[in-house]
Amino acid sequence: MLRTWTAIASTAAALAFAAPALAQDGAETSGSDKVNQVIVYGDDPCPASTGDEITVCARKPEGERYRIPAPLRGVDRPTSEAWSNKVLAYETVGRFGTNSCSPVGAGGFTGCTQQMINKARAERENGTDVRFGDLIQKEREKRLSTIDATAADEQVSVEAEERAYEARKKAADAAAAGQAAGTTTP
């Protein structure tokens, strides 16, 4: 019996703390937009953006449609590797200890982070020439730039509607006051 009450109390406490978090699930955030990233070629049309989806198009020339992307052309050929890189590879054979990224020797793990950074830098240099992050940011800025103008136009139309409503209300009140004054006189 005591266990049942303890379980009920702990469940109620958990729900009490979870309620504010559940209420925030529907809140809009600036990063909640869906992004559709498309590469279009030549004069192909860019698909239109929908309500909550941003469509970002990177346009390339028609001649690039069926080609291997430029950053990937000829990267893996041994002839494209510099001689100094080949020599450096031979210098690190059998290396162990600090900054070696090796399981051998004290501190051998310390070079693994630097190797990971170097690989990431090389991938970025050999990566695609389309920077979707920049294109997405420009599209968001373009959308946000129209919000102020749209809001101002909407505000003007709302104020005009309010003035028209007030005028109709005054006219109806005046007509009602005129009818009331006309019916009470003997």
Side-chain angles (χ1 to χ4, degrees), residues 96-115:
F96 62 92
T98 305
N99 288 331
S100 67
C101 190
S102 163
V104 179
F109 65 91
T110 56
C112 297
T113 303
Q114 188 60 43
Q115 283 185 5

Side-chain angles (χ1 to χ4, degrees), residues 36-116:
N36 184 16
Q37 302 172 359
V38 181
I39 297 177
V40 293
Y41 296 92
D43 295 329
D44 293 348
C46 181
S49 296
T50 58
D52 63 341
E53 178 182 67
I54 297 175
T55 301
V56 180
C57 293
R59 187 165 300 278
K60 292 197 170 198
E62 182 64 35
E64 293 289 316
R65 185 180 298 263
Y66 299 108
R67 295 200 60 195
I68 295 173
L72 299 178
R73 296 178 199 154
V75 172
D76 293 333
R77 293 185 312 203
T79 57
S80 65
E81 187 176 358
W83 179 252
S84 61
N85 290 341
K86 292 178 185 177
V87 171
L88 183 63
Y90 288 128
E91 287 177 356
T92 59
V93 171
R95 189 171 172 206
F96 62 92
T98 305
N99 288 331
S100 67
C101 190
S102 163
V104 179
F109 65 91
T110 56
C112 297
T113 303
Q114 188 60 43
Q115 283 185 5
M116 187 171 49

